[in-house]
Amino acid sequence: ATQAHHRDATRRDLTPNSTPHAPRARGYRSPNTCKRPTSHRSIPMTTETPTASVLSSEVAALKEEGNTFFRANDFLRAAAAYTKAIKQAGKDGSDGVELAPIFSNRSASFLKLSKVSQALADAQKCVELRPDWDKAHFRKAAALEASGT
């Protein structure tokens, strides 16, 4: 009677879609409890760069326009918007670290358009501007892989 009561109590504790789990291998940690080491640096999102406030409002608007086109899979227009943003930044005197995300995004657009040499050139510029940024190296690696190098 006690075993039957325990079994029924366990079944009631389960939600309708849940099932009992098999025992896990020793040392296994579920993804929800797994914590990254504090030394791990995550790849920052290009829309949330700490230096984005240095960009002029016009350059930021062009960058956001490019992001909108990219999300809509309109890579040619996205690349054109990023190009306009880079040219405008040159006119505004912005020519530093804050442009790395724009070069990164344009590199991704060119890669989607199979313009590998242009994607690689932008990725290399991105690495020059922010050599400590993991995403810049990821863009360069993706372009190199697409080129077969």
Side-chain angles (χ1 to χ4, degrees), residues 22-103:
R24 305 276 186 209
R26 185 175 178 180
Y28 173 83
R29 294 176 70 178
S30 72
N32 295 337
T33 60
C34 185
K35 303 291 182 201
R36 285 185 168 166
T38 54
S39 63
H40 176 71
R41 295 181 306 165
S42 62
I43 299 173
M45 298 288 294
T46 57
T47 57
E48 299 176 4
T49 57
T51 56
S53 61
V54 178
L55 295 174
S56 72
S57 59
E58 189 173 347
V59 173
L62 287 167
K63 177 185 169 193
E64 187 53 41
E65 181 182 325
N67 291 346
T68 302
F69 285 132
F70 191 91
R71 283 190 289 272
N73 295 328
D74 192 347
F75 305 117
L76 189 59
R77 284 187 174 168
Y82 296 134
T83 300
K84 287 179 190 176
I86 291 167
K87 287 181 180 179
Q88 183 61 40
K91 292 176 188 175
D92 294 348
S94 302
D95 192 29
V97 177
E98 64 271 6
L99 293 180
I102 300 173
F103 279 103

Side-chain angles (χ1 to χ4, degrees), residues 1 14 19 31-32 38 45-46 50 53 81 84-85 96 110-112 115 117 125 141 148:
L14 296 175
T19 58
N32 295 337
T38 54
M45 298 288 294
T46 57
S53 61
K84 287 179 190 176
F110 283 146
L111 203 53
K112 291 285 190 176
K115 297 183 177 191
S117 61
K125 179 68 174 176

Side-chain angles (χ1 to χ4, degrees), residues 105-123:
N105 292 354
R106 191 170 73 168
S107 176
S109 297
F110 283 146
L111 203 53
K112 291 285 190 176
L113 294 167
S114 298
K115 297 183 177 191
V116 178
S117 61
Q118 290 169 304
L120 182 56
D122 277 357

